[in-house]
Amino acid sequence: MKNVIFISPNFPTNYWQFCRELKNNGMNVLGIGDQPYHELTQELKNSLDEYYKVDSLENEDQVYRAVAFFIFKHGRIDWLESNNEYWLERDAKLRTDFNITTGFHTEDIPRVKYKSKMKEFYTKAKIPVARYQLVDTLENCLAFVEQVGYPVVAKPDNGVGASHTYKLSNEQELKKFFEEKHDYIPYIMEEFIDAEVNSYDAIIDSKGEPMFETGNVTPNSIMDIVNNADNSIYYIVKELPDDTRAAGRATVKSFGVKSRFVHFEFFRLLSDHEGLGKKGEVIALEVNMRPCGGFTPDMINFAHSTNVYKIWADMVAFDRSTMPVGQHAFCAFAGLRDGKNFVMSHEDILEKYGRNLKMVERIPDVLSDAMGNQMYVATFQTKRELDSFYKHVLKCRPAKGTVRK
């Protein structure tokens, strides 16, 4: 029996399903988290063979001791995973410290966490990348802007999501960014790309071959959602485009990915961009060596009539899966922001789209900056139906005094 340690099995709240499928596959599933055991859901309790509570998962010493205790009690650990971007470096250090051979080790982290270092591996895969400058001095960044023009995007070189990300449109904004940025955060500055984000989401086996593939599209910028408190929308594609599939597979090979659930992001150009490509072409954005966040695994299941929690657990247990993939559909996520005067009420949405809706929930506060406050997840057979859904649920009444044209 394989011993598998799952870090933070209680959050995100849907991740208990990874543990359930591991246990169903005969794994000895050992959880480490900071939530008291009696507060865990019964579903999660049933999915774990043992749970070790730490005061905080940020406490490196306590988590280290938890892993050591499990090794003392259960023997060698075969897998250690959180499937969570926030704990990616911690996972790698624990694997390194305890010689757990499956998964990334400390020496692998720079190329999979630092945006500047990702670029050489994208280039190796012959996928174009945006020009960039590591943020050091104002003079060097002004020289970079001379080359690429405004706007430019400044973001943490090693960051999660769109926090501390800025779109700078002129020299005044650039100077203000230098005055306000945190000196302890290494930043990267990139030329602005007029594009939508297309992703490659896949479960990769130990040989670096895909066991399952799909993707999603984000029509609006996560950076704008966070900085402007906007609504959040993205959708799982009904069929993965050939160019996204090819770019995703080339990226897997270039980065040497094995035995992982991955979420790679690409730009699909909305206009011609000199030096990068023509409108409609795919260029590199960044790699994420974990599942797409939030409730995306559930959305993938709805879109493809499958169970990616099981496919991932099958990869861990057997390095293959017989989990079927059924009928395909688009799966839409709409994260509506509190305080907006929407035309459709919550009850209206339930009545109009009841047959399509798969999940209707409040979004946890820790995720709301990027995902909105109230989510609706729905499936549709056509892109036209998908677009109509977004048009209706996102429509707001004009502010008082606004003249309709």
Side-chain angles (χ1 to χ4, degrees):
M1 179 184 292
K2 289 184 179 179
N3 292 317
V4 180
I5 292 178
F6 202 96
I7 306 290
S8 186
N10 56 301
F11 189 85
T13 55
N14 49 325
Y15 274 26
W16 68 270
Q17 295 175 82
F18 285 117
C19 298
R20 176 189 64 193
E21 299 304 337
L22 287 170
K23 189 168 185 179
N24 286 344
N25 281 344
M27 307 289 99
N28 189 35
V29 187
L30 311 169
I32 300 175
D34 53 14
Q35 186 173 10
Y37 182 77
H38 70 271
E39 294 180 5
L40 301 180
T41 65
Q42 191 59 48
E43 294 166 320
L44 176 54
K45 289 178 181 178
N46 294 341
S47 303
L48 298 174
D49 290 282
E50 191 166 351
Y51 180 72
Y52 190 113
K53 181 195 174 298
V54 294
D55 293 332
S56 170
L57 285 171
E58 300 279 3
N59 189 317
E60 187 172 344
D61 182 62
Q62 287 191 11
V63 176
Y64 182 96
R65 289 173 181 273
V67 176
F69 171 78
F70 280 146
I71 291 174
F72 173 77
K73 183 172 180 179
H74 298 277
R76 183 171 64 90
I77 303 299
D78 299 282
W79 282 80
L80 183 146
E81 189 57 76
S82 68
N83 278 337
N84 193 316
E85 182 79 20
Y86 192 80
W87 303 117
L88 202 64
E89 292 181 69
R90 173 70 58 78
D91 293 349
K93 188 174 188 310
L94 289 168
R95 293 190 201 101
T96 303
D97 289 345
F98 291 100
N99 194 30
I100 302 168
T101 57
T102 48
F104 291 119
H105 282 206
T106 299
E107 64 268 22
D108 300 310
I109 288 299
R111 66 186 168 88
V112 301
K113 284 286 287 180
Y114 287 86
K115 298 174 178 64
S116 58
K117 297 187 182 299
M118 294 175 189
K119 291 180 181 288
E120 65 178 277
F121 291 91
Y122 272 126
T123 301
K124 180 180 168 185
K126 297 183 169 49
I127 302 171
V129 299
R131 290 172 289 181
Y132 76 99
Q133 162 79 32
L134 288 174
V135 173
D136 45 17
T137 66
L138 176 61
E139 291 72 25
N140 285 340
C141 288
L142 285 169
F144 174 69
V145 174
E146 279 290 316
Q147 299 176 35
V148 303
Y150 287 107
V152 292
V153 175
K155 52 190 175 182
D157 195 18
N158 176 11
V160 180
S163 58
H164 304 289
T165 299
Y166 306 89
K167 181 180 177 183
L168 309 173
S169 299
N170 52 53
E171 187 171 327
Q172 181 181 356
E173 291 181 2
L174 177 59
K175 289 180 177 178
K176 184 179 179 183
F177 161 71
F178 264 85
E179 292 171 1
E180 297 180 352
K181 72 179 181 69
H182 299 296
D183 291 336
Y184 61 87
I185 299 178
Y187 276 87
I188 182 175
M189 184 172 289
E190 295 181 325
E191 61 183 317
F192 177 77
I193 307 296
D194 180 26
E196 67 178 14
V197 176
N198 286 213
S199 78
Y200 173 81
D201 297 83
I203 298 170
I204 308 299
D205 70 14
S206 67
K207 302 177 185 65
E209 298 297 329
M211 296 170 56
F212 173 85
E213 299 169 298
T214 186
N216 66 54
V217 172
T218 305
N220 52 1
S221 166
I222 294 293
M223 175 179 63
D224 292 337
I225 293 166
V226 172
N227 291 340
N228 302 330
D230 204 352
N231 303 309
S232 173
I233 64 171
Y234 70 100
Y235 60 89
I236 308 299
V237 296
K238 187 174 182 178
E239 299 291 344
L240 184 63
D242 289 340
D243 55 357
T244 307
R245 186 189 309 274
R249 290 184 176 185
T251 303
V252 167
K253 299 299 182 188
S254 181
F255 279 82
V257 179
K258 295 178 180 179
S259 303
R260 289 204 72 77
F261 202 142
V262 298
H263 170 66
F264 298 159
E265 294 177 343
F266 300 93
F267 281 132
R268 187 173 296 279
L269 298 176
L270 297 177
S271 57
D272 293 352
H273 198 295
E274 186 177 353
L276 284 179
K278 299 290 186 181
K279 178 180 179 180
E281 293 182 347
V282 167
I283 69 168
L285 176 52
E286 64 181 66
V287 297
N288 298 280
M289 299 298 179
R290 43 77 181 172
C292 187
F295 297 95
T296 306
D298 302 281
M299 292 173 59
I300 293 172
N301 290 346
F302 298 140
H304 301 295
S305 307
T306 191
N307 183 347
V308 292
Y309 298 104
K310 176 170 172 49
I311 297 173
W312 177 83
D314 287 350
M315 178 271 293
V316 172
F318 315 119
D319 203 29
R320 57 182 173 79
S321 180
T322 58
M323 182 68 207
V325 176
Q327 184 181 16
H328 299 291
F330 294 98
C331 186
F333 174 95
L336 274 56
R337 189 72 63 183
D338 289 348
K340 293 182 178 291
N341 192 12
F342 294 105
V343 172
M344 293 188 73
S345 68
H346 175 71
E347 290 71 23
D348 293 336
I349 295 173
L350 296 183
E351 181 177 351
K352 183 175 178 64
Y353 294 105
R355 289 186 300 174
N356 304 91
L357 290 169
K358 300 296 184 182
M359 297 180 75
V360 178
E361 293 188 23
R362 292 293 293 177
I363 297 171
D365 290 342
V366 70
L367 302 175
S368 63
D369 281 353
M371 299 179 66
N373 303 105
Q374 174 66 46
M375 77 168 185
Y376 301 91
V377 171
T379 56
F380 301 94
Q381 284 302 311
T382 68
K383 182 67 162 49
R384 183 176 179 180
E385 292 174 303
L386 175 83
D387 292 340
S388 176
F389 168 73
Y390 282 134
K391 178 181 177 181
H392 285 96
V393 302
L394 299 175
K395 187 175 182 179
C396 288
R397 292 184 176 86
K400 288 184 179 180
T402 303
V403 178
R404 287 182 181 270
K405 293 187 178 180

